Amino acid sequence: MATVVRMPEVLAGASEAAIQSWLVTPGQSIGVGEPLAEVETEKAVVEYAAETEGVVLELLVSEGQPVAVGEPIAIIGAADEATRVREEPGPADGSQQRAPEPETAPDPEPSPLADAPDLLPSERGGHRAAERRFASPIVRRLARERGIDLALLTGTGPDGRIVRRDLEATAAGQGAAASETRTPTGSPKQPAPSPAVQAGPGGPPAAFVDLPLSGMRRAIARRLTESKTTIPHFYVVADCRVDGLLDLRRQLNAFDEVHISVNDLVVKAAAGALMDVPEANVAWAGTAVRRFATADVAMAVAVPNGLVTPVLRGVESMSLTQVSAAAADLVARAKAGRLKQHELEGGSFAISNLGMYGVKEFSAIINPPQAGILAVGAVAQRPVVDDGALGVGSVMTVTLSADHRVIDGAVAARWTAAFVQRIEEPLRLLL
Amino acid sequence: MPKHERLEAAVPWVRLESTPEDWRAADPALLGGMLAELHLIRAFEETVLELAGEGLVHGPAHSSIGQEGGAVGSIIGLRSSDGVNGSHRGHHQFLAKALTHVTGGDLDLSALVTGDVDRVLQRTLAEILGLAQGFCAGRGGSMHLQWLEAGALGTNAIVGGGVPMGAGNSYAQRQSGTTDLTVSYFGDGAVNIGSVLETMNLAAAWTLPFVFFIENNLYAVSTTVAEATGEHRLSGRGPGFGIPSWRVDGMDPLAVHLAMTEVGDRIRGGGGPAVVEAEVYRFFHQNGPYHGSAFGYRAKTEEAEWRARDPLERVGSEMLGLGLIGEAEIASVRTQAVEAMREVADRLTEPDPDAAGKRRIRPELWPDPEFVDVGIRGDGSELAGGRFLEPLDDEGPKDSGRFVDFVAGVMDRRMAEDPRIIVLGEDVHRLNGGTNGATKGLAKAYPGRVLGTPISENAFAGLAGGVALDGRFRPVVEFMYPDFLWVAADQVFNQIGKARHMFGGVNPVPLVLRTKVAMGSGYGSQHLMDPAGIFSTSPGWRIVAPSTAADYIGLMNTALALDDPVLVIEHVDLYALPEEAPAGDLDYRLPIGRAAVRREGADVTVLSYLSMVRHALEAVQQTGVDAEVIDLRWLDRASIDWDTIGESVRKTNAVLIVEQGALGTSYGGWLADEVQRRFFDWLDQPVLRVTGGEASPSISKVLERAAIARTEEVVRGLEEAVRRMGGR
């Protein structure tokens, strides 16, 4: 008896996903638990293992093609079985394949944004229908013309309807960037986009190329727009003297088996600061301020064509070498597209480090549901003044972006001070 | 014991019978003409029944077989410029008028069917079949036959409904200085309906050259005259109104002719209206090819007695007796008529290829379905050459005065310039310009053209409709309160509103109806409606609702220049307001379909009219909402300014429709519907509306205020619109 394999709901709330790559070929035998495909969603690339034993009879979707959750993607059966099974109408209920890991089930805690009034109450567990987002007709029209994804907007009209003012607010802010990088797809005045270089009518080739959006790019665009337009960011900047830190790192790295990065030290210092100032270890939960007991720190990791933010959990109780090893593992798997869904969820705080590019300082956008993100610049030798004497020291500038709904200015300042202290007294990082 | 003095009606009421002397004295050509028309109509009606029996007549076919004598006897002596109209059973009257028009009533019995006669027969049958070549392009059918050139004003499917319009035609005839008259035909069933009785009163009061011709065929469908009324001699209605009345045997065409000759002499001499009751009998049931006895409401013996008095037989036998004609010649008349109708029917039908032995309408003769809405109203081309002025753009010197003084002023100006204009309504000629001064000075300045009417809105509205259809005059009707539209509803909507389209879409109906919204005046539930909503359901009407005196001048001038019925809505709140208008200029017009943007704004489009425009502007000022306030000016579907509305909605993406009156009869419903369909993709929120309450306003001052919308309600509407704009 052949089995229809359906697109798994690998990600809470995701209504579609794509096979990034098939790990099997038709005719190949496969056992339970053996990898079948890599599935790419907005957030992650997940390895999907077979839950049925048999021979791969047919692969129904090609790589990169978005497929709705529950749609058939492959057929597994006995070697001699015909594939007419694909003609059978498939129920999208009990036979639907589940995600490979229980950890990828919906986040047990609703995300802060899920409580925003524009969203319909979402069902917990089980299959969730794609969220209906109400938008007024003019908003739909303008979004179509300007190529704005309504999923990026938050509705402030009656019952959360997205109204013209929401669109204008986006256009005035971050949405402008989105509209520049997108080509209108619904406007009759514009030719349909294609990856090829566009040629104007009768004119020279247009100086741009339209690249199709990946799921990750859509997620980045949606989440960051949502963040920047709904979270009141405020910023605290500090310079850290890191001569001692660099010295400690040199000593530690003298041991063969360890390789501690500045970033590892920064992560550890941030976790320590979250313990020092628990008022900063929080998240906006819509109807409450959620305070965390552990320091779960996300790291922004640049990957080809985007970035992901895997979370290191319980950093406060990890040794520096454990932090270093875990971080290295996450970065390696992030770059290889091998992160698990649960590794991308949660966290109260994030580190974004562009120091390796020589950036002096920058401000980062909070990655919800987290309430803070630390933008870390490059370590550089700068003039410093010690006890009235001008000298040269290694300095690193950090910028905290905080969610002002849950982190007051004084709290942010105290957190920053605690962080600077831990960086500047690095031995405490080893405790 | 009280003393009794027997009173006599002031006018005669007689029964007229022909004598052998009369037959001998009759002009043989007249008798021959009667015989010819009777046979043509009979053959025609037989053909209609035959086609109806084959299912080729869509809708009812009310046969006049048996009743031809009354129509032919009364019409054959009329001029083409005399008018006739009739009811649902009108084929015989229409044909008699049309045939008399093309032959002068003088037909050659040996060559009955001339080209003109043939054309009349074919176009009439085509109309009854609903074909494009019919007199009304197939729109009218059996019950709406009109050929104005022949003086056939249009038959009517509303019992008694054509009578006020007929009286209007007679008014126009007399007012034009002619000695023409109009005959309105109706049955025994119609004699008890308001339109007829109100018109009897009005025609007598105004001494109109008008004949109420009752075809008393004894049955209103199956209800007998004796069941329906206490005075079954229906001409007895006339004397009570001061109308001399005749009763005559309608099966005797000569007797009818003699009665009509007496009536005509009296009327053309200025003696005023008459009632003629012709006793007739329809040989068949109300409609279709069956005898009445088949339905059990009358006896076969009764039918046989009446059939023995067939008017065709009567004229034939009298002529035979007088030696004016031979048996063979009579048979030839019959044969010619039957043959002519067979040919006419053959031209309009063909063998049905799908059903052997059956006929069908020749498919190419149907009207084009695209014709369905053509000619509901005029195209406004009659305004060409007029001078338009937009008061918003006028920077010249101004005259000041009360709004109502400009109302009377512009009418005074138009009446001075245009002798066709007449004004009629209750008390418009007295009280120094009617109840509000809107016709001030007109009665004195234009004697005979400002007519105070009896309290019978249905009759005087319908009379004005008849005047308008005639075209020689332009009536301006006033309803003292808008709610009286219900009293006059048949004439206002069934007749005036539909007349142009129903009869083929070409005949203009230039009529202005003025009325005033009186919400706030304490007149209570039956006087305080806004008529805009109800009139907007009647597509023949154009509607204007000026909010300023300067607009009133321009809109009234356009209304009086248009060939369509136009409702001009006024408001008591506006009458006393001090207003300004271009100095010394009462002649400019405002174009159809141009609204006025009273305030530009970006956040919400307020659509309003009449007094509510000012309330809307006040509310905008109080709330500080950046609203764009559009004064619609023109309210009907055909004349509303979609360009201005559309431009505004595309800018604001929000619409608030503001009116004052009760929800049920309110205007904005259709507009909201149309706005959301036209501009759906431009809307950021549902179309909002400000209206009065559900119930009609009460007399109690507090309850009246609670029932209507003013500035405070518009404020709430604006706040609601803002709430729905979102943003935090």
Side-chain angles (χ1 to χ4, degrees):
Chain A
M1 171 83 194
T3 303
V4 176
V5 181
R6 296 170 187 281
M7 178 59 82
E9 189 189 19
V10 294
L11 176 61
S15 59
E16 66 170 35
I19 302 295
Q20 192 188 58
S21 54
W22 285 108
L23 303 177
V24 294
T25 53
Q28 183 181 332
S29 289
I30 189 167
V32 174
E34 289 181 31
L36 193 62
E38 289 176 322
V39 179
E40 180 192 16
T41 70
E42 283 189 347
K43 286 184 177 177
V45 175
V46 179
E47 203 173 84
Y48 179 41
E51 300 183 351
T52 309
E53 186 180 64
V55 174
V56 178
L57 296 177
E58 192 167 356
L59 303 179
L60 302 176
V61 298
S62 51
E63 292 177 353
Q65 171 192 343
V67 176
V69 166
E71 285 294 303
I73 55 171
I75 297 169
I76 296 174
D80 55 349
E81 219 165 357
T83 61
R84 61 177 168 75
V85 65
R86 66 182 298 193
E87 306 297 334
E88 292 171 9
D93 47 25
S95 66
Q96 182 179 319
Q97 302 285 343
R98 286 285 163 198
E101 288 190 336
E103 305 92 282
T104 61
D107 188 340
E109 298 294 344
S111 91
L113 291 168
D115 286 333
D118 61 313
L119 301 177
L120 292 173
S122 56
E123 296 167 39
R124 290 283 188 81
H127 178 77
R128 293 202 290 185
E131 240 164 25
R132 164 112 195 252
R133 295 175 64 82
F134 292 97
S136 73
I138 184 66
V139 165
R140 291 181 184 281
R141 178 197 189 93
L142 293 176
R144 194 167 61 237
E145 286 176 2
R146 299 178 188 173
I148 294 172
D149 185 354
L150 288 181
L152 306 181
L153 302 185
T154 302
T156 63
D159 301 320
R161 182 188 303 142
I162 302 171
V163 292
R164 192 185 59 173
R165 286 184 173 179
D166 301 324
L167 200 75
E168 285 165 356
T170 304
Q174 202 154 330
S179 67
E180 284 161 17
T181 58
R182 286 161 172 263
T183 300
T185 53
S187 168
K189 293 171 189 164
Q190 297 280 352
S194 88
V197 172
Q198 303 281 318
F208 60 82
V209 172
D210 285 330
L211 302 171
L213 295 175
S214 66
M216 181 187 294
R217 180 56 54 195
R218 273 199 292 270
I220 290 168
R222 180 173 63 77
R223 291 179 64 81
L224 292 186
T225 303
E226 200 171 83
S227 168
K228 190 70 193 218
T229 53
T230 60
I231 297 177
H233 286 58
F234 83 104
Y235 308 96
V236 177
V237 184
D239 287 339
C240 309
R241 288 288 297 274
V242 291
D243 300 293
L245 187 87
L246 295 178
D247 200 37
L248 174 67
R249 174 172 171 262
R250 241 185 331 267
Q251 294 175 34
L252 290 172
N253 286 346
F255 299 98
D256 270 353
E257 59 273 34
V258 285
H259 179 79
I260 306 292
S261 68
V262 171
N263 200 64
D264 298 335
L265 296 163
V266 168
V267 168
K268 187 65 183 163
L274 287 171
M275 292 295 108
D276 294 343
V277 186
E279 301 98 301
N281 193 14
V282 292
W284 172 257
T287 54
V289 176
R290 179 166 301 142
R291 188 176 290 181
F292 298 97
T294 58
D296 299 348
V297 180
M299 302 182 301
V301 180
V303 297
N305 301 318
L307 86 160
V308 292
T309 51
V311 181
L312 279 171
R313 295 176 200 279
V315 178
E316 82 287 351
S317 58
M318 292 164 79
S319 70
L320 193 54
T321 48
Q322 281 173 320
V323 170
S324 178
D329 171 55
L330 285 178
V331 170
R333 288 193 291 116
K335 290 185 187 299
R338 293 282 187 274
L339 287 173
K340 306 292 187 192
Q341 176 60 31
H342 74 275
E343 293 169 325
L344 292 164
E345 292 173 347
S348 63
F349 196 83
I351 305 289
S352 178
N353 189 342
L354 294 180
M356 58 288 255
Y357 300 105
V359 168
K360 184 185 176 197
E361 61 176 289
F362 69 103
S363 307
I365 296 173
I366 294 167
N367 181 33
Q370 297 147 12
I373 184 167
L374 192 72
V376 181
V379 173
Q381 293 204 325
R382 299 188 208 164
V384 294
V385 179
D386 284 318
D387 297 329
L390 186 62
V392 176
S394 294
V395 179
M396 175 179 80
T397 302
V398 297
T399 306
L400 170 68
S401 303
D403 181 349
H404 215 327
R405 295 174 301 181
V406 290
I407 298 180
D408 297 330
V411 173
R414 279 166 49 215
W415 184 90
T416 305
F419 174 80
V420 171
Q421 190 185 10
R422 281 175 179 271
I423 289 292
E424 294 187 348
E425 300 169 11
L427 283 178
R428 292 180 62 196
L429 298 176
L430 301 179
L431 296 176
Chain B
M1 169 124 184
K3 186 182 166 196
H4 291 81
E5 184 189 349
R6 187 177 176 82
L7 294 178
E8 298 287 334
V11 293
W13 178 23
V14 298
R15 186 167 197 286
L16 183 150
E17 286 181 20
S18 67
T19 62
E21 186 85 0
D22 294 323
W23 284 97
R24 276 195 296 279
D27 182 349
L30 171 72
L31 298 180
M34 284 183 177
L35 186 72
E37 289 190 6
L38 287 166
H39 274 283
L40 287 168
I41 295 169
R42 175 65 56 86
F44 183 95
E45 292 289 69
E46 288 169 348
T47 304
V48 170
L49 286 184
E50 192 180 310
L51 293 167
E54 294 173 38
L56 297 178
V57 179
H58 193 56
H62 298 106
S63 163
S64 67
I65 291 174
Q67 300 188 188
E68 301 94 334
V72 170
S74 59
I75 288 173
I76 196 161
L78 295 182
R79 310 165 179 169
S80 282
S81 53
D82 290 330
V84 305
N85 73 4
S87 67
H88 58 287
R89 190 179 322 285
H91 301 171
H92 54 322
Q93 301 137 8
F94 179 84
L95 284 169
K97 192 70 169 75
L99 290 170
T100 301
H101 171 63
V102 297
T103 64
D106 188 5
L107 290 92
D108 181 351
L109 297 182
S110 62
L112 201 57
V113 185
T114 62
D116 285 339
V117 168
D118 185 72
R119 270 189 291 282
V120 166
L121 296 174
Q122 179 169 330
R123 289 191 69 196
T124 308
L125 185 63
E127 184 58 41
I128 289 167
L129 295 175
L131 307 183
Q133 61 181 265
F135 277 104
C136 303
R139 285 248 181 84
S142 166
M143 297 193 289
H144 309 294
L145 295 165
Q146 185 192 61
W147 189 20
L148 292 181
E149 189 188 320
L153 307 176
T155 58
N156 210 293
I158 299 294
V159 168
V163 176
M165 310 263 289
N169 195 69
S170 75
Y171 175 90
Q173 289 168 323
R174 191 194 61 187
Q175 196 72 0
S176 303
T178 73
T179 56
D180 295 334
L181 57 80
T182 299
V183 187
S184 203
Y185 293 84
F186 52 94
D188 46 275
V191 86
N192 301 314
I193 205 167
S195 286
V196 171
L197 297 168
E198 284 187 19
T199 305
M200 282 186 176
N201 179 65
L202 189 58
W206 290 2
T207 331
L208 298 179
F210 189 54
V211 182
F212 297 86
F213 197 106
I214 308 168
E215 290 187 329
N216 182 357
N217 68 14
L218 306 179
Y219 296 91
V221 190
S222 68
T223 303
T224 66
V225 169
E227 284 177 291
T229 183
E231 171 56 274
H232 66 274
R233 300 166 303 172
L234 301 179
S235 46
R237 300 289 189 278
F241 289 102
I243 303 176
S245 301
W246 280 256
R247 193 159 203 252
V248 61
D249 178 8
M251 309 307 271
D252 177 350
L254 182 63
V256 176
H257 175 74
L258 293 172
M260 277 296 287
T261 303
E262 293 177 10
V263 164
D265 288 347
R266 182 189 164 94
I267 290 179
R268 295 187 206 278
V275 170
V276 176
E277 175 193 4
E279 302 162 87
V280 294
Y281 201 77
R282 55 173 153 80
F283 291 171
F284 292 92
H285 177 55
Q286 166 79 354
N287 58 319
Y290 302 100
H291 294 283
S293 55
F295 298 88
Y297 59 84
R298 64 192 195 191
K300 283 185 179 171
T301 50
E302 178 187 296
E303 290 177 346
E305 284 166 23
W306 281 94
R307 270 191 177 274
R309 300 173 53 207
D310 189 331
L312 279 69
E313 304 285 334
R314 175 72 188 268
V315 174
S317 60
E318 293 279 3
M319 288 181 75
L320 205 59
L322 291 169
L324 298 173
I325 200 168
E327 294 272 9
E329 215 177 338
I330 293 175
S332 155
V333 168
R334 165 73 180 164
T335 309
Q336 290 176 66
V338 170
E339 182 60 21
M341 284 313 301
R342 194 188 56 73
E343 287 177 15
V344 165
D346 283 351
R347 276 179 239 137
L348 302 178
T349 61
E350 64 185 17
D352 188 341
D354 298 326
K358 295 207 170 185
R359 290 188 283 185
R360 68 170 187 183
I361 302 291
R362 291 179 183 268
E364 68 275 16
L365 302 182
W366 290 113
D368 183 344
E370 295 293 313
F371 183 60
V372 61
D373 284 337
V374 173
I376 291 173
R377 62 192 78 77
D379 60 5
S381 57
E382 62 270 31
L383 299 179
R387 178 172 63 88
F388 292 122
L389 180 146
E390 172 55 76
L392 284 174
D393 302 336
D394 178 59
E395 290 169 355
K398 299 284 191 285
D399 284 341
S400 299
R402 294 182 310 154
F403 189 108
V404 71
D405 295 333
F406 289 106
V407 171
V410 65
M411 191 59 68
D412 182 21
R413 175 69 176 169
R414 286 282 68 73
M415 290 185 80
E417 298 270 312
D418 186 349
R420 298 174 302 170
I421 295 172
I422 59 167
V423 171
L424 64 164
E426 289 148 0
D427 300 307
V428 293
H429 62 316
R430 297 264 162 75
L431 308 178
N432 199 17
T435 49
N436 292 91
T439 53
K440 190 175 180 177
L442 302 182
K444 196 173 168 192
Y446 310 102
R449 292 169 60 196
V450 180
L451 309 170
T453 62
I455 301 174
S456 45
E457 285 83 4
N458 198 50
F460 73 73
L463 181 140
V467 172
L469 261 178
D470 173 83
R472 283 174 281 190
F473 295 92
R474 289 182 172 258
V476 177
V477 182
E478 177 182 309
F479 281 174
M480 194 182 284
Y481 289 90
D483 305 63
F484 303 167
L485 72 86
W486 302 122
V487 179
D490 175 45
Q491 295 302 317
V492 169
F493 300 117
N494 266 326
Q495 312 297 342
I496 295 167
K498 293 176 183 170
R500 181 186 187 118
H501 178 264
M502 179 170 85
F503 289 120
V506 290
N507 296 315
V509 189
L511 179 148
V512 168
L513 173 59
R514 290 180 43 242
T515 193
K516 61 167 189 258
V517 173
M519 276 179 265
S521 69
Y523 270 71
S525 302
Q526 296 173 329
H527 282 66
L528 300 184
M529 78 180 289
D530 172 353
I534 298 302
F535 273 81
S536 66
T537 66
S538 182
W541 283 90
R542 295 185 190 266
I543 308 167
V544 297
S547 70
T548 69
D551 276 12
Y552 188 96
I553 293 165
L555 291 169
M556 179 54 88
N557 280 327
T558 305
L560 287 170
L562 271 168
D563 279 343
D564 298 315
V566 183
L567 172 69
V568 179
I569 309 177
E570 301 162 13
H571 198 297
V572 289
D573 283 355
L574 297 176
Y575 282 150
L577 293 179
E579 284 279 278
E580 288 192 332
D585 189 353
L586 292 167
D587 297 320
Y588 62 88
R589 297 173 186 170
L590 270 169
I592 296 176
R594 183 172 305 167
V597 178
R598 299 287 177 206
R599 182 192 187 279
E600 291 189 5
D603 279 351
V604 55
T605 298
V606 175
L607 302 177
S608 193
Y609 58 96
L610 206 63
S611 59
M612 291 308 285
V613 172
R614 292 163 194 257
H615 290 298
L617 290 168
E618 270 180 27
V620 167
Q621 197 168 22
Q622 287 178 18
T623 56
V625 174
D626 188 16
E628 181 143 304
V629 179
I630 295 179
D631 180 350
L632 292 171
R633 289 177 171 161
W634 294 86
L635 302 186
D636 60 282
R637 192 178 287 271
S639 316
I640 197 167
D641 184 354
W642 286 118
D643 292 344
T644 297
I645 295 171
E647 195 179 326
S648 184
V649 173
R650 281 188 280 270
K651 176 172 63 175
T652 64
N653 312 129
V655 177
L656 177 67
I657 301 173
V658 170
E659 57 183 306
Q660 184 165 44
L663 183 62
T665 52
S666 65
Y667 167 76
W670 84 268
L671 183 58
D673 164 62
E674 195 71 23
V675 164
Q676 62 87 13
R677 230 161 335 91
R678 286 174 183 253
F679 307 114
F680 181 77
D681 282 335
W682 294 99
L683 291 174
D684 196 36
Q685 56 175 278
V687 176
L688 301 183
R689 296 181 57 199
V690 171
T691 69
E694 191 175 356
S696 191
S698 305
I699 284 180
S700 160
K701 193 170 186 177
V702 168
L703 294 178
E704 182 193 56
R705 177 63 192 88
I708 66 178
R710 293 174 66 87
T711 304
E712 292 78 2
E713 286 72 16
V714 185
V715 165
R716 286 204 284 279
L718 288 170
E719 286 168 351
E720 175 66 10
V722 168
R723 193 182 71 74
R724 289 167 180 269
M725 281 172 206
R728 282 196 281 238

